[in-house]
Amino acid sequence: MLKRMLHVNGVDRMVICEQDETLANVLRENLGLTSVKIGCGQGQCGSCNVVVDGKLKRTCTIKMKRVAENTQIVTAEGVGTPEHLHPVQLAWIAHGGAQCGFCTPGFIVSSYALLLENQSPTREDVREWFQKHRNACRCTGYKPLVDAVMDAAAVLRGEKTRDELMKDVPTEGRIVGTKYPRPTAVAKVTGTLDYGADLGLKLPANTLRCALVQAEVSHAKIISIDTSEAEKMEGVEKVVTYKDIKGKNRITGLITFPTNKGDGWDRPILCDEKIFQYGDAIAIVCADTEKHAKAAAEKVKVELEELPAYMSAPEAMQDDAMEIHPGTPNIYFVQKVAKGNDTAPIFKEADVTIEGDYYVGRQPHMPIEPDVGFAYRNDEGKLVIHSKSIGLHLHAAMIAPGLGEELENIVMVQNPAGGTFGYKFSPTMEALVGAACMATDRPVFLNYTWYQQQTYTGKRSPFFMNVRMAADNEGKLLGMETDWSVDHGPYSEFGDLLTLRGAQFIGAGYDIDNIRGEGRTVCTNHAWGSAFRGYGSPQSEFASEVLMDELAEKLGMDPLELRYKNVYRKGSTTPTGQDPEVYSLPEILDTVRPKYEEAKKRAAELSTPEVKRGVGIALGVYGSGLDGPDSAEADIELDAEGFVTVYTTWHDHGQGADIGALTTAHEALSPMGFPAEKIKVCLNDTSKCPNGGPAGGSRSQVVIGRAIKAAGEELVAAMKKADGSFYTYEEMEANNIPTRAKGKWTAPCTDCDENGQGNPFACYMYGLFLAEVSVEIATGKTTVEKMTAVADVGTVMNKLAVDGQMYGGLAQAIGLALTEDFEDIKKHSTMVGAGFPYAKQIPDDMELIYVESERPEGPFGASGVGELPLTCPHAAVINGIYNACGVRIRALPALPEKVLAGLNK
Ligand code: MCN
Ligand code: FES
Ligand code: FES
């Protein structure tokens, strides 16, 4: 033990702690300064940044024995407070720098430290600083953060006022389309918003801390689990195994496709008979402290008989591969696509045909915040589970039978989430904390390390694709043939739906009358497949967008003009045979054309024999909604203080559910001129909110937005008097008029049939991505110099949210194109190892242009946006590499050695 006097945020604070405790933990746990976040815990993300004696430090790797007496420390709490924001914090709000906000305090402190040293940094200085200090952000694409630092510096130099910083924030009138900041912004920039791990520290003293016993092999039979030694370890209350679970001990995938050969009951809560993948949970140790729980977890003895592990779809599809789930074939679902006429004669007679094999891999989500959650019984005896879930009602139904708890007896709450990017469309630790709470009858808390986050949550499912296209000599597409295999890992949940995406999105954006194809879902022993932003479109469209480039070359046409010739126009239908709801692609391409010509000119001018420049484009399309009659409910209630509250489950990954709900309600209530400051949002607690549905498929703005609009319109109608004025709350009460309005909306859509045909989505998002790249010939290293995106997401509801979605998604697409992977479980288990893009890997030059076609079904004309920027920009980068140096990458990521191998061929 040691005692230290530290000078923290201007005052002396005494701490007494273990020698080997980290400074991050001491600041968080001993001093309650939870702005210091623990993301990677390994010095790779900067979320634990503080200023130590005037220098920026990552505190997760500093042991207390190395911290001297009277060390001066500044945390985000000391940079500024909600009442007295520092210019850096204000600028962060003005530029939408805090999306999920988990990285934000670390960036605020980092920027503050930079500005202590240099009040006149260039943009490049700021980027260098973030790179050098490993400040990682997964949401924003960094550009808005650099904008914020530049503005803050201008305020500090006295060249700009604080008011000028906030000049784009409306103080009255409509807020649609403006830079009105999200309600959680102030808490995020001051580090005062409590995420799961922060709430965990503040739980009652009798809370048990959990540690998992996990598999270290990918496929095995369990012979025995011996917990006896662990049970005797210091502080241990109980070691929970499958034997303690009251229900079916399975998470159900809620399979809806009748042709699925599995039954959806394949994922154990705690493994009983078999291990299906690396990291599978075998037992949960519940103890008084996390350290005790982890020490005891080491002592649980698991005897296994290892089985052959099938780590990819082709391996699991071999004739002699054993069934991973005995009784269910490894290929458990097949989805066909059949549109128009048989393609065989078309391919025979076409002027030009082309074919390619493509692979998009196991992209890891890499939120900075690792998975975390807790469970307790409330005073009504209900099991309350808090997590990062982005599908609270859905997840309750998926875990209730496995736990053996009545669905009505489960309350699910979403904690502020530090990014999910879709991995939380699947339950992760919800059933684990539920089981531990039920087995111990105590509150329980479980916090994954970043290693656990990476190795034991779902990943993007790799697609192995073969696509063929037939065209006439003028470039008109005549037919397409497709074949795709989806490696969905061992658990089937939503695997059939994902496979359907191949039918819906290979070739999306183009008028192709005749399509034939087949896709299949394959069970493997690699990481289970979960939703990931774009959900099937980054795989599907990569194949068709790279093939379109190859076709253009074969035809001797410009890739943009080939696309222009074939994009949806009136009379065209999507690959599922649906009429697009708007026809904005020609306008999008017309808008991009001059930019494209400029980019090509720039590439020609800047190319050198050592560093070749190139330009690539790709088209992106994705649906906003879950397939078919997707629906949502939302309530709006007027209260005695004259405020209204919006109630729904618009789950927040970090994208801005709060600002989305607020803006939509404000617009719906506009006939009353209701001020935005008087609208509150109460989101994501199943005991309080009607079911808005999960935040997947970029559906919330459209589907929940329509429900909010309906509730708002109902409230306006209820409050309207005959003379056109509006009742007050008291008058409503006196006249027995309900003060809570209920809104519901169901998309007028149909599910796709066995041939992949139907009208699955009411609204789509459309975009064209233009990448300018350079390739270093000696090393094969690719740099994206500029990204331009022309997007149609309908009416832009909030400019900061939409720009933020676009920048952040583009950054993830660059990562997908060039570096990110989770194939090698060991190598890819850290942020650096998995190719996380830091500031300098993302271009500062990103240009966004919107074509706002009002959507007939969208609320106030809005479509979604969240996934559009990760549909296909990676194909633009890959097409740019080809344009630069003639190397065609067909399997991602385009690592330097792959490009170099191509150059050497
Ligand atoms: N929006 C808007 N105008 C539009 C469309 C949307 O202002 N025309 C705003 C919305 O109000 C919302 C945001 O943009 O704040 C995204 O809206 P939408 O496209 O409807 O998507 P959802 O709210 O359903 O969010 C989910 C979507 C998905 S599926 C993933 S995955 C995802 C994403 O959004 N994960 C994210 N964006 C993310 N952003 C961050 N920072 N972190 C994640 O984990
Ligand atoms: Fe400390 Fe990531 S650098 S938590
Ligand atoms: Fe940076 Fe989410 S805002 S990680």
Side-chain angles (χ1 to χ4, degrees):
M1 296 283 274
L2 57 74
K3 171 177 100 48
R4 285 280 183 282
M5 190 62 89
L6 304 176
H7 193 74
V8 185
N9 296 334
V11 288
D12 286 334
R13 306 283 304 265
M14 188 191 293
V15 295
I16 296 140
C17 63
E18 303 281 353
Q19 299 255 351
D20 281 336
E21 197 49 276
T22 62
L23 177 56
N25 278 346
V26 165
L27 292 169
R28 287 175 55 77
E29 298 178 19
N30 298 46
L31 299 181
L33 296 166
T34 48
S35 74
V36 181
K37 305 289 179 210
I38 300 191
C40 68
Q42 297 174 313
Q44 298 185 0
C45 76
S47 57
C48 61
N49 275 339
V50 310
V51 181
V52 177
D53 290 335
K55 295 273 172 232
L56 185 66
K57 296 280 180 200
R58 278 160 271 162
T59 54
C60 66
T61 52
I62 300 177
K63 294 267 157 57
M64 279 307 290
K65 61 186 168 209
R66 285 173 42 215
V67 177
E69 188 76 354
N70 293 323
T71 295
Q72 311 263 327
I73 289 173
V74 183
T75 69
E77 289 92 342
V79 173
T81 62
E83 294 77 27
H84 301 285
L85 295 169
H86 186 276
V88 171
Q89 292 165 319
L90 199 64
W92 230 257
I93 295 174
H95 288 281
Q99 288 190 32
C100 81
F102 193 81
C103 72
T104 304
F107 268 99
I108 295 284
V109 170
S110 177
S111 308
Y112 169 83
L114 163 67
L115 296 175
L116 286 180
E117 281 183 19
N118 177 3
Q119 277 207 356
S120 303
T122 61
R123 294 186 74 88
E124 217 34 45
D125 291 340
V126 179
R127 283 158 53 77
E128 289 281 356
W129 178 270
F130 288 156
Q131 182 79 14
K132 179 171 122 197
H133 292 281
R134 288 249 171 98
N135 267 124
C137 176
R138 190 63 165 157
C139 297
T140 61
Y142 301 103
K143 182 180 183 295
L145 311 186
V146 180
D147 292 339
V149 178
M150 297 306 286
D151 261 357
V155 173
L156 289 173
R157 292 193 305 266
E159 293 165 8
K160 223 178 206 175
T161 64
R162 293 168 71 98
D163 286 346
E164 278 167 336
L165 264 189
M166 303 307 279
K167 69 176 175 12
D168 292 333
V169 179
T171 48
E172 55 183 11
R174 292 178 73 201
I175 61 169
V176 166
T178 71
K179 295 189 172 179
Y180 196 86
R182 62 184 68 196
T184 44
V186 172
K188 283 172 176 165
V189 301
T190 52
T192 47
L193 185 68
D194 282 331
Y195 295 79
D198 309 325
L199 291 164
L201 291 177
K202 298 165 192 181
L203 288 171
N206 70 336
T207 302
L208 293 167
R209 310 283 150 177
C210 298
L212 298 182
V213 178
Q214 291 176 277
E216 288 173 10
V217 298
S218 298
H219 196 194
K221 216 159 113 184
I222 298 178
I223 310 294
S224 65
I225 304 168
D226 178 1
T227 61
S228 53
E229 198 184 336
E231 302 265 9
K232 289 185 213 129
M233 295 279 289
E234 186 184 355
V236 172
E237 171 74 14
K238 186 167 176 62
V239 181
V240 182
T241 68
Y242 71 91
K243 292 183 187 147
D244 300 296
I245 294 185
K246 296 198 180 78
K248 290 175 73 143
N249 188 33
R250 289 290 180 280
I251 293 171
T252 165
L254 299 171
I255 290 224
T256 48
F257 291 55
T259 49
N260 194 317
K261 293 187 179 133
D263 62 4
W265 292 95
D266 45 39
R267 182 172 157 206
I269 297 175
L270 286 170
C271 293
D272 36 33
E273 291 171 3
K274 278 186 80 174
I275 302 298
F276 297 105
Q277 74 153 77
Y278 185 92
D280 265 350
I282 302 164
I284 311 166
V285 179
C286 306
D288 57 346
T289 67
E290 193 176 289
K291 278 199 181 119
H292 286 153
K294 284 189 169 163
E298 300 277 316
K299 302 289 178 190
V300 174
K301 294 195 189 80
V302 185
E303 201 187 333
L304 299 173
E305 178 192 321
E306 243 189 288
L307 299 170
Y310 305 108
M311 302 303 276
S312 71
E315 285 175 44
M317 286 161 71
Q318 288 163 8
D319 288 341
D320 62 349
M322 67 165 66
E323 286 177 351
I324 292 171
H325 292 282
T328 304
N330 289 348
I331 300 173
Y332 56 91
F333 179 73
V334 172
Q335 174 68 53
K336 289 194 184 299
V337 54
K339 177 185 173 189
N341 298 324
D342 186 10
T343 45
I346 296 170
F347 273 76
K348 224 175 187 175
E349 284 160 26
D351 296 335
V352 185
T353 62
I354 191 141
E355 172 171 3
D357 290 310
Y358 303 94
Y359 173 78
V360 176
R362 220 173 297 278
Q363 187 185 21
H365 303 70
M366 299 196 278
I368 313 289
E369 179 195 39
D371 208 48
V372 59
F374 48 91
Y376 54 90
R377 288 254 176 225
N378 70 10
D379 293 341
E380 294 159 36
K382 296 205 168 167
L383 178 66
V384 187
I385 299 176
H386 288 237
S387 71
K388 294 175 72 176
S389 168
I390 54 158
L392 294 170
H393 291 88
L394 173 74
H395 290 175
M398 288 174 77
I399 65 172
L403 287 173
E405 187 80 22
E406 291 299 321
L407 186 55
E408 306 71 61
N409 217 33
I410 297 179
V411 172
M412 305 280 295
V413 181
Q414 192 196 25
N415 292 327
T420 97
F421 310 104
Y423 89 88
K424 282 302 306 176
F425 200 90
S426 291
T428 53
M429 39 54 64
E430 286 79 359
L432 296 173
V433 289
C437 176
M438 289 169 74
T440 58
D441 219 7
R442 295 258 298 267
V444 296
F445 170 76
L446 175 63
N447 195 8
Y448 285 16
T449 60
W450 205 86
Y451 177 85
Q452 287 172 308
Q453 163 68 41
Q454 184 77 339
T455 54
Y456 187 47
T457 60
K459 298 287 165 282
R460 189 183 294 292
S461 296
F463 275 36
F464 298 78
M465 298 165 284
N466 174 273
V467 181
R468 299 177 287 283
M469 286 178 177
D472 67 16
N473 276 329
E474 274 69 56
K476 171 76 189 98
L477 293 174
L478 304 172
M480 182 173 73
E481 294 180 346
T482 57
D483 182 277
W484 67 103
S485 297
V486 178
D487 172 346
H488 201 256
Y491 304 130
S492 65
E493 58 204 36
F494 317 122
D496 42 16
L497 186 66
L498 177 64
T499 307
L500 173 61
R501 293 289 180 260
Q504 294 168 332
F505 292 103
I506 300 178
Y510 303 115
D511 182 31
I512 312 175
D513 288 338
N514 310 295
I515 305 177
R516 289 292 181 277
E518 185 181 293
R520 58 203 66 81
T521 329
V522 186
C523 183
T524 72
N525 294 113
H526 212 313
W528 94 76
S530 68
F532 191 155
R533 195 172 194 176
Y535 196 54
S537 66
Q539 296 98 318
S540 305
E541 293 172 19
F542 179 71
S544 44
E545 283 307 298
V546 177
L547 190 62
M548 280 298 273
D549 253 49
E550 301 193 46
L551 177 61
E553 187 179 23
K554 197 161 178 182
L555 285 161
M557 278 180 83
D558 184 279
L560 189 135
E561 300 312 330
L562 175 65
R563 287 175 170 86
Y564 192 72
K565 190 167 197 100
N566 287 286
V567 290
Y568 300 153
R569 291 182 174 80
K570 200 126 189 91
S572 311
T573 55
T574 70
T576 75
Q578 181 176 8
D579 292 334
E581 82 289 26
V582 291
Y583 300 91
S584 49
L585 281 169
E587 188 185 343
I588 289 175
L589 267 71
D590 283 333
T591 309
V592 113
R593 191 177 283 111
K595 303 269 166 198
Y596 175 64
E597 294 304 330
E598 277 166 33
K600 285 200 290 189
K601 223 170 116 208
R602 241 189 323 269
E605 281 165 15
L606 296 173
S607 227
T608 65
E610 293 76 33
V611 181
K612 303 242 175 160
R613 293 271 194 148
V615 178
I617 55 169
L619 194 109
V621 178
Y622 198 57
S624 289
L626 304 178
D627 303 57
D630 184 11
S631 72
E633 292 172 39
D635 294 354
I636 302 186
E637 185 172 38
L638 178 71
D639 66 28
E641 282 72 47
F643 283 76
V644 296
T645 304
V646 184
Y647 294 91
T648 186
T649 54
W650 188 333
H651 305 83
D652 210 340
H653 304 245
Q655 82 279 23
D658 55 347
I659 188 64
L662 172 68
T663 308
T664 312
H666 186 252
E667 190 65 8
L669 298 173
S670 62
M672 295 195 294
F674 208 87
E677 302 70 42
K678 290 205 153 187
I679 300 175
K680 297 191 276 190
V681 293
C682 173
L683 307 177
N684 309 324
D685 174 340
T686 60
S687 69
K688 292 186 173 160
C689 308
N691 190 355
S698 305
R699 64 183 285 282
S700 306
Q701 182 61 65
V702 170
V703 184
I704 305 174
R706 280 294 296 265
I708 292 174
K709 179 171 181 274
E713 285 166 355
E714 189 184 305
L715 189 64
V716 170
M719 290 178 71
K720 196 164 188 168
K721 294 182 189 170
D723 65 1
S725 64
F726 294 94
Y727 290 116
T728 62
Y729 175 83
E730 290 73 22
E731 288 168 337
M732 303 265 286
E733 286 280 285
N735 288 296
N736 265 336
I737 304 170
T739 51
R740 186 161 175 142
K742 294 188 175 299
K744 183 169 178 176
W745 188 71
T746 302
C749 293
T750 57
D751 285 311
C752 288
D753 63 15
E754 68 281 5
N755 285 322
Q757 301 301 288
N759 297 325
F761 307 109
C763 297
Y764 287 83
M765 311 169 268
Y766 303 94
L768 195 104
F769 308 101
L770 165 62
E772 295 174 52
V773 308
S774 61
V775 181
E776 208 175 71
I777 297 304
T779 61
K781 185 173 183 289
T782 303
T783 306
V784 178
E785 305 288 346
K786 176 169 183 179
M787 281 302 280
T788 304
V790 180
D792 178 9
V793 299
T795 308
V796 171
M797 296 296 286
N798 180 274
K799 186 73 166 58
L800 287 179
V802 170
D803 283 352
Q805 288 298 291
M806 292 297 296
Y807 290 131
L810 291 175
Q812 289 182 318
I814 292 169
L816 174 60
L818 299 180
T819 54
E820 295 178 21
D821 209 353
F822 182 68
E823 194 54 37
D824 180 333
I825 293 174
K826 212 167 164 197
K827 180 173 158 201
H828 296 143
S829 64
T830 65
M831 288 175 68
V832 172
F836 188 101
Y838 289 89
K840 294 273 284 182
Q841 277 139 279
I842 303 303
D844 193 34
D845 198 353
M846 294 205 267
E847 191 177 348
L848 305 176
I849 302 166
Y850 300 101
V851 166
E852 292 185 65
S853 326
E854 281 199 16
R855 297 303 195 273
E857 293 292 348
F860 311 109
S863 188
V865 66
E867 289 164 292
L868 176 69
L870 192 45
T871 49
C872 220
H874 48 296
V877 174
I878 296 305
N879 291 338
I881 293 176
Y882 183 77
N883 182 253
C885 67
V887 175
R888 180 67 73 190
I889 299 293
R890 294 191 180 84
L892 296 181
L895 296 172
E897 50 268 32
K898 251 190 231 175
V899 178
L900 194 59
L903 284 167
N904 289 337
K905 248 193 204 158

